[in-house]
Amino acid sequence: MTLAPGARLGPYEILSPLGAGGMGEVYRARDPRLGREVAIKVLPAAFSSDPDRLRRFEQEAKAAGSLNHPNITAVYDVGSVDGAPYVVSELLEGETLRSILAGRKLSTRKAIDYAVQIAHGLAAAHEKGIVHRDLKPENLFVTKDGRVKILDFGLAKLTREEIPSGPATQVPTQTALTEPGVVMGTVGYISPEQVRGSLADARSDIFSFGAILYEMLSGNRAFQGGSTADTISAILKEDPLDLTIANPSISTGLGRIVRHCLEKSPEERFQSAQDLGFDLSVAAEESPRPGASSPRRTALLSAAAVLAALLVLVAVLLWRTRGGKTVRVGASALARKSIAVLPFQNLSPEPENAYFADGMTEDILTQLAKIRDLKVISRSSVMQYKGTQKPIKAIAAELGVGVILEGSVRRSGDRVRIVGQLIDARTDEHLWAETYDRELKDVFSIQSEVAQQIAASLQATLSPAEKKRIEQRPTENLLAYDLYLKGREHYNRLRKEDNETAIEHFQKALEADPGFALAYAGLGDAYAQRALRFGFPQTSLDSSLEQSRKAISLAPGLPEGHKARGLAYQAKGAYRESVEANLRAVELAPNHYAAIINLGSTLFFLGRLDESLRWSERASELAPTSPLPVIVMGSARAALDDPSRAEALLRRAVQLQPDLAQGRAQLVRLYLRLRRNREALEEAHNALRIASTDSTLVVAGEAELLVGDPGRAREIFERFLPLIKGKRQSRTPGAGVETHLAYLHLRAGRRREAEALLAESLTADQRQLEGGNQDWSVPFDTACVHALRGEKDEAFHWLDRSVEAGWRGWPLGTRSPLLDSVRSDPRLQQIEARLQTLVSEMRKRAGLS
């Protein structure tokens, strides 16, 4: 039945249609008796003869009519006209949650606010035995005053049947309104038990709720495949990307709530919406408010301080020793879930076994890094404390952790003794200690036990999947493992000759065990390092991809394999593939520093500055002494038009490692952008004194070209040119050196030399594009070539492509003299405005506006 405006439905006057869905058509109507406008849902006449649809429609009216809660749409009346049944409910002004989301995430506080309201509405329905069974963003309505209303109990199931009074023989046989085996709900939000056609209860709504909250917080659906079958398979078998990875600003506590909602088994989820609502209310208190000076209110801080004092007293009283272990019951409640694994001492009779002690340090750290509920400091930051005499408190303060793991390794023949001690950095007291005196073949069990003991001591949540990954043995061949550890030791030295030795060790490890996935991952890393650090040709990256793919095929859950693949893709300029691979590595090992810093830098190259900033901040937490994430953070801040903070970060990076020219090179670009020319030239000269790398040479050349001596610029670029021959996979941001030299030749009237260089530059750019390079500098360089040739239309075509690829106006944006020929063209101003809009949007998402 389609109703036109002015038609009557019982006592109601139809005003206009509002929408239609699988359960009926909805109209705006007026109730003349009470003088109010209402919403009327009418079951289409074509379906009113369908007994199943009619039964479910009547069920909706019965279910919703029995509910009276501010977060559930109120039902006023039911009726039937000419065989068409209808339900009258309150008329809402606002929009559905689906319209609000529109593929984007909400702020954390708004998402929690909506979630708490939904949980309260569900709790009220569940209390009356009513399960919605089709909870989704389309069925959640947000009014203009911010009230969330649950719509459409059209699939609700009364889990408590009313049993008539009277003799048992007179009670009718009950028939379930939905039989097992019938799938009800919307794919993407229904629970695993609904997918299987099993009977659903309140915990099914909690699963759907978790999928919605995930989408509100991440901007992406929790379960979405290429087809309905793929989505159903994901619901049954896969976990969505962790929220703290999809949105690094999310707290671990809130991420844990969502994971708890999305457990595959109903028994492992929240058992009531009331409990869920309570936990969300606590999360709301813990989420920082805009402009607040602390994440909790002062009253909560005071209460926490009192609680901490009580816990200290209890912990001191609950010391006990058993079975050769030192255990302090309750102490883990005091410790922050952040840990640094200091380099284990080598107590082996043979000094050459030092690699084995370092390998144990790294492997235990790697196992801990798989636990999402812990913060684990990276190897790059802890290895500097090898042999240090610094107090534990000082080390913990420098690394920003609450607990320290230290220990020793003694290897002799086929025996190994590993001693581990977990220390509360604030009190210098032992939280846990253990000595493992075993055969060498038990080394993997020891690593697993240490990681699980630490998790238990710190009361860190360890999921079944994490436990399984920690307990998995990388190989059964101890010779292969020994060779692998030696390979890692050489790889970590970051020297050309050591990298070649590492490759040899990894290859020998694979000869001993052809199925050793970790060794393939090691080869993938080493081949990528060949190209990135030591100037080997592009074929090294192809080898890196081949080896990392073998690692993944042998062990799909191996984070090291995905990280190696991501590194190779990054070096090739295939940034989107690199992001995908590194995200998978972090999903499997949430504290995987190398993958996290690679995400920060790769997202920066893609122009996704706000995301780059978040990942780089996370990397800096895991490696507080490393300048690399600080450089990316400073560069992102500069591109996001936050120059004072950018300068502070880049200065900090220089202080962390004064002999690293990369930080100074980024300062040059910042100072040029700010027109602080003297400081730009000074830092350019400093960078050149430290290292004559491709990046420092081109930055110094740009500085001289813009604000210094063009003759000096030409000298620098000509010095740089031989370095890039045959090594174009390592580009520097901006136009290529041939293009800069061509500009200088044109400026001096040497057109023939300029044309030769421009043709060479175009050929190199085309080769890069055909090879899949996604770096914005490739189309930007092409645009500059066409601008120098006076081919304006082509120049703007490639400038547009560079914006799409991630160019956000840096290093110097449209100030480059290579674009002088198009400077007055209105299209350049349009591109500048477009860049400003992009940066403004990212500033908002990064919380800078």
Side-chain angles (χ1 to χ4, degrees):
M1 174 187 294
T2 300
L3 301 172
R8 308 284 292 192
L9 192 66
Y12 303 101
E13 178 186 354
I14 301 299
L15 300 178
S16 62
L18 290 176
M23 285 303 298
E25 298 171 345
V26 186
Y27 296 90
R28 186 188 194 105
R30 184 175 180 276
D31 184 350
R33 297 168 300 178
L34 298 176
R36 68 180 176 187
E37 292 189 354
V38 296
I40 298 181
K41 177 179 286 187
V42 183
L43 190 68
F47 300 120
S48 61
S49 58
D50 184 331
D52 181 62
R53 279 185 177 265
L54 188 58
R55 183 169 66 251
R56 281 161 44 205
F57 186 84
E58 291 169 347
Q59 177 179 283
E60 174 184 3
K62 180 180 179 181
S66 68
L67 299 173
N68 181 19
H69 191 274
N71 295 119
I72 297 176
T73 307
V75 172
Y76 299 144
D77 190 15
V78 294
S80 179
V81 173
D82 298 329
Y86 62 84
V87 173
V88 183
S89 61
E90 64 177 313
L91 182 67
L92 303 174
E93 299 288 346
E95 56 186 327
T96 65
L97 181 60
R98 170 62 68 216
S99 299
I100 292 172
L101 288 174
R104 62 183 178 88
K105 62 177 178 288
L106 306 181
S107 70
T108 302
R109 293 209 61 81
K110 181 170 283 190
I112 294 176
D113 176 35
Y114 289 173
V116 169
Q117 294 188 61
I118 298 165
H120 288 166
L122 285 177
H126 294 168
E127 179 64 24
K128 289 184 173 288
I130 299 168
V131 179
H132 192 287
R133 293 198 301 166
D134 194 25
L135 205 62
K136 57 186 176 183
E138 290 83 352
N139 281 338
L140 296 167
F141 197 93
V142 182
T143 65
K144 289 182 176 179
D145 61 357
R147 173 87 65 184
V148 181
K149 298 271 190 176
I150 303 175
L151 308 176
D152 195 356
F153 275 85
L155 295 178
K157 175 173 181 265
L158 292 174
T159 57
R160 298 180 190 166
E161 298 289 346
E162 292 184 5
I163 300 178
S165 59
T169 55
Q170 296 177 2
V171 177
T173 304
Q174 296 176 12
T175 303
L177 294 180
T178 301
E179 299 294 341
V182 179
V183 177
M184 303 293 286
T186 300
V187 174
Y189 300 95
I190 54 176
S191 64
E193 57 269 26
Q194 285 176 284
V195 169
R196 296 186 183 98
S198 303
L199 290 174
D201 60 18
R203 295 169 298 181
S204 295
D205 281 351
I206 289 174
F207 185 92
S208 302
F209 171 94
I212 294 166
L213 181 53
Y214 183 98
E215 190 169 344
M216 287 196 287
L217 289 167
S218 71
N220 300 308
R221 297 196 183 192
F223 306 100
Q224 185 171 24
S227 65
T228 299
D230 291 339
T231 302
I232 287 175
S233 176
I235 289 172
L236 290 173
K237 301 176 183 177
E238 299 174 13
D239 292 326
L241 182 67
D242 192 85
L243 259 180
T244 57
I245 297 174
N247 182 354
S249 66
I250 295 299
S251 69
T252 55
L254 188 54
R256 198 157 47 244
I257 289 173
V258 176
R259 287 200 305 275
H260 197 21
C261 291
L262 294 176
E263 292 286 357
K264 304 299 184 189
S265 169
E267 288 73 23
E268 296 181 8
R269 294 177 210 144
F270 285 99
Q271 296 301 292
S272 75
Q274 188 173 16
D275 290 345
L276 171 58
F278 177 81
D279 277 20
L280 283 167
S281 298
V282 172
E285 293 293 345
E286 292 177 341
S287 297
R289 291 175 171 80
S293 59
S294 67
R296 293 178 181 263
R297 293 184 296 185
T298 304
L300 285 176
L301 281 169
S302 301
V306 173
L307 178 60
L310 288 172
L311 286 170
V312 170
L313 178 61
V314 171
V316 170
L317 294 173
L318 290 178
W319 278 77
R320 68 181 182 184
T321 302
R322 80 167 174 258
K325 298 180 184 179
T326 302
V327 182
R328 187 171 56 151
V329 179
S332 57
L334 303 175
R336 293 168 55 199
K337 296 178 184 178
S338 54
I339 182 172
V341 181
L342 296 187
F344 278 30
Q345 280 185 282
N346 175 36
L347 302 181
S348 305
E350 302 83 11
E352 61 269 20
N353 273 331
Y355 78 90
F356 189 80
D358 287 347
M360 288 303 97
T361 305
E362 187 169 355
D363 283 350
I364 289 172
L365 189 154
T366 299
Q367 296 290 52
L368 290 171
K370 297 172 183 175
I371 303 174
R372 195 175 306 281
D373 203 25
L374 290 178
K375 169 188 168 184
V376 184
I377 298 300
S378 73
R379 178 193 183 279
S380 63
S381 282
V382 298
M383 290 308 289
Q384 64 181 303
Y385 296 101
K386 188 173 183 179
T388 186
Q389 299 301 312
K390 272 189 179 182
I392 290 293
K393 267 187 182 176
I395 295 173
E398 290 174 9
L399 297 177
V401 296
V403 294
I404 295 285
L405 177 68
E406 63 175 9
S408 62
V409 176
R410 178 183 175 86
R411 177 180 176 182
S412 181
D414 62 353
R415 301 289 299 180
V416 63
R417 171 177 285 187
I418 297 177
V419 177
Q421 303 174 88
L422 190 65
I423 302 168
D424 186 330
R426 291 162 296 182
T427 63
D428 211 29
E429 295 172 325
H430 288 68
L431 302 175
W432 165 84
E434 179 65 287
T435 298
Y436 300 90
D437 198 342
R438 307 262 188 93
E439 291 185 19
L440 188 60
K441 66 181 181 181
D442 293 328
V443 67
F444 303 124
S445 299
I446 296 171
Q447 294 170 7
S448 172
E449 287 178 32
V450 169
Q452 294 187 58
Q453 286 279 10
I454 291 171
S457 296
L458 300 184
Q459 292 186 350
T461 301
L462 187 63
S463 73
E466 289 169 344
K467 186 174 185 293
K468 182 179 179 182
R469 283 197 286 269
I470 288 172
E471 291 176 345
Q472 192 166 9
R473 297 170 67 90
T475 179
E476 298 296 332
N477 190 309
L478 291 178
L479 173 61
Y481 180 65
D482 206 48
L483 289 163
Y484 168 78
L485 290 184
K486 289 178 180 177
R488 276 290 170 189
E489 170 71 13
H490 284 279
Y491 170 81
N492 287 326
R493 293 177 186 173
L494 304 180
R495 294 193 299 243
K496 183 176 181 179
E497 60 276 14
D498 282 300
N499 196 63
E500 294 306 300
T501 303
I503 290 173
E504 292 174 12
H505 283 307
F506 291 142
Q507 289 172 336
K508 289 178 181 177
L510 287 168
E511 289 173 9
D513 179 3
F516 191 6
L518 261 178
Y520 280 116
L523 270 179
D525 277 336
Y527 282 130
Q529 187 166 258
R530 256 185 176 181
L532 282 170
R533 285 183 174 269
F534 310 124
F536 279 73
Q538 185 86 5
T539 51
S540 293
L541 297 179
D542 296 332
S543 298
S544 175
L545 278 176
E546 180 185 356
Q547 302 305 319
S548 57
R549 283 169 180 154
K550 286 180 180 177
I552 294 169
S553 67
L554 287 167
L558 184 71
E560 290 85 353
H562 294 280
K563 175 261 173 184
R565 182 167 171 256
L567 181 63
Y569 274 132
Q570 184 187 36
K572 287 173 72 73
Y575 295 141
R576 288 184 290 274
E577 291 84 352
S578 177
V579 167
E580 180 185 349
N582 281 305
L583 276 174
R584 180 58 178 154
V586 177
E587 184 180 1
L588 294 165
N591 292 283
H592 199 312
Y593 166 75
I596 290 170
I597 185 57
N598 287 346
L599 278 170
S601 57
T602 307
L603 288 164
F604 179 81
F605 296 143
L606 283 170
R608 291 157 62 177
L609 305 175
D610 52 332
E611 297 174 73
S612 169
L613 186 60
R614 285 197 296 270
W615 283 104
S616 302
E617 287 171 344
R618 184 170 177 185
S620 189
E621 289 179 1
L622 299 180
T625 62
S626 172
L628 297 179
V630 183
I631 291 171
V632 181
M633 288 159 59
S635 303
R637 289 271 181 178
L640 287 168
D641 200 20
D642 188 10
S644 59
R645 183 63 179 142
E647 183 180 9
L649 285 163
L650 292 172
R651 280 289 171 204
R652 179 180 152 208
V654 169
Q655 290 170 357
L656 284 169
Q657 191 171 340
D659 62 347
L660 183 66
Q662 189 178 349
R664 297 185 187 275
Q666 292 302 320
L667 271 174
V668 173
R669 291 192 168 104
L670 177 63
Y671 288 148
L672 287 172
R673 182 175 175 179
L674 297 176
R675 301 185 186 275
R676 290 162 59 178
N677 299 339
R678 182 185 59 79
E679 292 164 283
L681 284 173
E682 182 181 335
E683 285 299 342
H685 297 157
N686 288 336
L688 279 180
R689 277 195 295 270
I690 293 169
S692 295
T693 62
D694 49 4
S695 60
T696 54
L697 282 164
V698 79
V699 169
E702 287 177 338
E704 294 287 358
L705 182 59
L706 280 166
V707 300
D709 179 1
R712 172 73 172 146
R714 178 182 174 185
E715 177 188 336
I716 291 172
F717 286 131
E718 287 179 340
R719 180 179 165 193
F720 175 74
L721 193 59
L723 296 178
I724 65 169
K725 297 297 184 182
K727 196 171 83 74
R728 290 296 292 197
Q729 75 270 12
S730 181
R731 293 190 63 96
T732 55
V737 65
E738 303 102 321
T739 312
H740 280 98
L741 270 175
Y743 165 79
L744 288 167
H745 282 308
L746 287 171
R747 182 169 166 169
R750 295 186 289 269
R751 185 151 202 99
R752 186 173 64 180
E753 293 92 332
E755 274 299 332
L757 285 167
L758 291 175
E760 186 177 342
S761 187
L762 276 182
T763 300
D765 290 339
Q766 188 61 35
R767 192 182 306 122
Q768 289 286 301
L769 292 169
E770 290 172 355
N773 193 316
Q774 298 158 10
D775 196 312
W776 63 264
S777 63
V778 180
F780 182 82
D781 181 71
T782 304
C784 291
V785 169
H786 287 295
L788 290 172
R789 285 178 165 176
E791 300 162 351
K792 293 186 178 182
D793 290 344
E794 277 295 296
F796 282 110
H797 166 75
W798 287 100
L799 278 177
D800 282 334
R801 285 192 59 173
S802 69
V803 173
E804 293 168 5
W807 179 51
R808 299 295 175 255
W810 24 263
L812 302 175
T814 50
R815 188 182 166 194
S816 171
L818 305 182
L819 296 175
D820 281 349
S821 68
V822 298
R823 184 86 50 217
S824 60
D825 195 301
R827 287 176 288 183
L828 193 61
Q829 284 74 53
Q830 292 171 4
I831 287 177
E832 288 178 324
R834 182 179 169 192
L835 292 173
Q836 289 173 358
T837 299
L838 286 169
V839 170
S840 177
E841 290 172 352
M842 284 185 282
R843 280 179 59 84
K844 289 178 182 177
R845 291 197 294 269
L848 300 179
S849 301

